[in-house]
Amino acid sequence: SQQGEEDPQALSIQEGENATMNCSYKTSINNLQWYRQNSGRGLVHLILIRSNEREKHSGRLRVTLDTSKKSSSLLITASRAADTASYFCATGNSGGSNYKLTFGKGTLLTVNP
Amino acid sequence: NAGVTQTPKFQVLKTGQSMTLQCAQDMNHNSMYWYRQDPGMGLRLIYYSASEGTTDKGEVPNGYNVSRLNKREFSLRLESAAPSQTSVYFCASRPPGGGQTQYFGPGTRLTVL
């Protein structure tokens, strides 16, 4: 079953605006990751935040994690048309060699030029 | 480095036919994964291999078998394809030493008629 649920399912913004996507999950996690998928392509890892971290930055990306609410958000600042893609959150267990990721259903972001 | 490669890119089968999806990685990763992606469902784990010689079931293993041929290659076999197996299949790998991100191949789009 899906661990993460992204919200909204779809988001349409203008170039230059900020985009915020949210992810909620159900069980305790070791880490939470965000991936991007361009149409017809595989997933690309964007950023990982560990369960003991609250915020992380990478370029125009900002991720927050609230383990008490079992939620995370991904903020993309100053969006560009090239940011148009689906974004997935994925939660990682602490299974050692049996480590697995569980993915949400994704948010489709459209950035209009 | 080619990263994670998958063959074929596209395949059309008739119900009852069999086929093997191939995946290879040249990054010396230990763990490899097979996912399927259906519209509105995100990615669901079919099988994974924590290391050469081991395989384990994921969330949706029914109708599939896997082989970890060596450290580089992890194949997914459909013995008797069904229309419900129409999907996009992704292979992924994970670095050794506790690496928690996954690296994805470009996917195989499979249609079962």
Side-chain angles (χ1 to χ4, degrees):
Chain A
S1 61
Q2 240 77 24
Q3 160 79 304
E5 290 285 341
E6 290 90 341
D7 172 56
Q9 291 185 357
L11 179 62
S12 181
I13 60 174
Q14 297 299 123
E15 213 165 19
E17 293 180 338
N18 295 341
T20 299
M21 288 158 270
N22 303 297
C23 170
S24 59
Y25 58 91
K26 298 172 185 173
T27 62
S28 63
I29 61 172
N30 175 271
N31 64 80
L32 187 143
Q33 302 177 38
W34 287 89
Y35 287 78
R36 183 187 74 227
Q37 183 181 34
N38 290 92
S39 181
R41 302 288 193 92
L43 278 71
V44 174
H45 178 258
L46 294 176
I47 194 165
L48 178 152
I49 186 165
R50 301 189 191 284
S51 58
N52 61 353
E53 297 176 312
R54 292 295 167 259
E55 187 171 312
K56 203 159 183 181
H57 297 254
S58 176
R60 293 185 295 113
L61 305 180
R62 172 179 169 251
V63 169
T64 62
L65 179 64
D66 186 335
T67 53
S68 66
K69 295 181 179 177
K70 291 187 169 59
S71 67
S72 172
S73 67
L74 171 67
L75 168 67
I76 303 174
T77 60
S79 63
R80 306 165 182 168
D83 294 328
T84 293
S86 291
Y87 292 81
F88 295 89
C89 69
T91 52
N93 63 358
S94 54
S97 61
N98 288 319
Y99 177 82
K100 299 190 291 289
L101 289 177
T102 305
F103 286 84
K105 297 180 181 180
T107 293
L108 177 59
L109 172 65
T110 302
V111 181
N112 301 299
Chain B
N1 287 354
V4 180
T5 57
Q6 293 183 237
T7 55
K9 285 187 167 50
F10 302 93
Q11 184 71 49
V12 178
L13 294 177
K14 294 181 180 178
T15 297
Q17 287 185 318
S18 62
M19 80 160 295
T20 300
L21 281 64
Q22 306 287 353
C23 173
Q25 52 88 13
D26 62 0
M27 298 177 284
N28 201 35
H29 289 177
N30 286 344
S31 301
M32 298 184 73
Y33 305 81
W34 275 106
Y35 296 90
R36 60 177 289 173
Q37 183 178 33
D38 301 296
M41 292 294 293
L43 273 75
R44 291 182 293 170
L45 182 64
I46 305 171
Y47 269 94
Y48 68 103
S49 171
S51 61
E52 186 179 353
T54 68
T55 60
D56 283 287
K57 295 179 181 179
E59 181 186 350
V60 288
N62 291 347
Y64 306 95
N65 286 303
V66 290
S67 295
R68 183 73 184 267
L69 304 169
N70 47 54
K71 190 170 187 178
R72 290 187 64 247
E73 298 171 289
F74 188 37
S75 62
L76 178 71
R77 182 160 178 84
L78 287 70
E79 290 291 350
S80 179
S84 61
Q85 294 178 303
T86 293
S87 188
V88 182
Y89 291 85
F90 289 99
C91 178
S93 68
R94 181 170 76 91
Q100 293 170 326
T101 64
Q102 292 186 11
Y103 295 77
F104 283 81
T108 293
R109 187 173 294 273
L110 175 67
T111 301
V112 183
L113 303 175

